[in-house]
Amino acid sequence: GSQQQQQQQQQQRAPRRLQNFQKSSVRLPRGKACGSNKIRELFHIEATLPGVDPKYLMEIMTSPAYGTKWNPSVRRVVLRQRRQVKQDAKLPEVFSVEAMRSPFGAASGKLLLNGGNTFDVTAQVSEIPIPRVLASLAGGRRYTADFIAARFDCEARRGFTIATSYGAEAVAAAAGVEKAQELCLSTMMIAPHDGGAWNGTRLHIVTHFDAQVPAAFRRVVNANVGKSLRAMMAAMHKRALQAQATGKHPYIDCP
């Protein structure tokens, strides 16, 4: 009882909005450039999500049950398949054209916990929103095809997702689309934030991608990264609080 009351009091004291939002970028060496445009900018975006326990943030980040309506950075998921994959597996072989034709892969309705060297991996094709300035260039719709691995540690209350579009051509082909961007690396890392007056979750996103737009538009894309990810984080915060209010986290099935 008293622990729950304490939690409730903390919830009430927690600010409603994202806190300590930060964006920075690092310029990588040439050999680490991304995509055909050899993009060297890698972005770090961080914020604290007040009042949210990490498992509920992980729940909405990884479970397909919440759909995409809440997420401004995804228009819709065109194709999705999940499998449990050994650490040394080659993802293009696991998610081959043949494998993508079988309906859902071999994963259950829960994220694999304590998987050791087995990872929970999703192959996913999503339609992504087009920044208004690029709409005329994009020729209609833009898609991204990615492999996304996810892991959560119930005791440490920490988790991450790590995504790349390297080698995801068969995944795009299975959905009948072409990749419009090269996502070399994107990771979301979450950890508990214990702030005295209120608790929450710290979210750190690292992303390195080639949006595959003409050079003249790259600046616009870069300027948009912080803005769009901030909007996504705010939406995640809101959705995670709603999930937390139900007390249910079936996908992140921690004791």
Side-chain angles (χ1 to χ4, degrees), residues 72-90:
S73 66
V74 179
R75 247 200 187 143
R76 66 192 173 105
V77 172
V78 183
L79 183 121
R80 179 190 173 98
Q81 196 184 94
R82 241 177 94 222
R83 291 177 182 265
Q84 291 178 359
V85 178
K86 286 267 182 280
Q87 198 170 328
D88 54 2
K90 292 186 170 63

Side-chain angles (χ1 to χ4, degrees), residues 64-127:
Y66 299 90
T68 58
K69 277 203 178 73
W70 64 271
N71 187 344
S73 66
V74 179
R75 247 200 187 143
R76 66 192 173 105
V77 172
V78 183
L79 183 121
R80 179 190 173 98
Q81 196 184 94
R82 241 177 94 222
R83 291 177 182 265
Q84 291 178 359
V85 178
K86 286 267 182 280
Q87 198 170 328
D88 54 2
K90 292 186 170 63
L91 294 177
E93 289 171 16
V94 175
F95 295 97
S96 62
V97 175
E98 294 73 49
M100 292 306 294
R101 286 198 186 114
S102 79
F104 292 112
S108 70
K110 294 175 181 183
L111 187 78
L112 174 70
L113 297 169
N114 311 322
N117 67 350
T118 301
F119 281 78
D120 199 297
V121 180
T122 299
Q124 184 167 299
V125 177
S126 317
E127 185 185 343

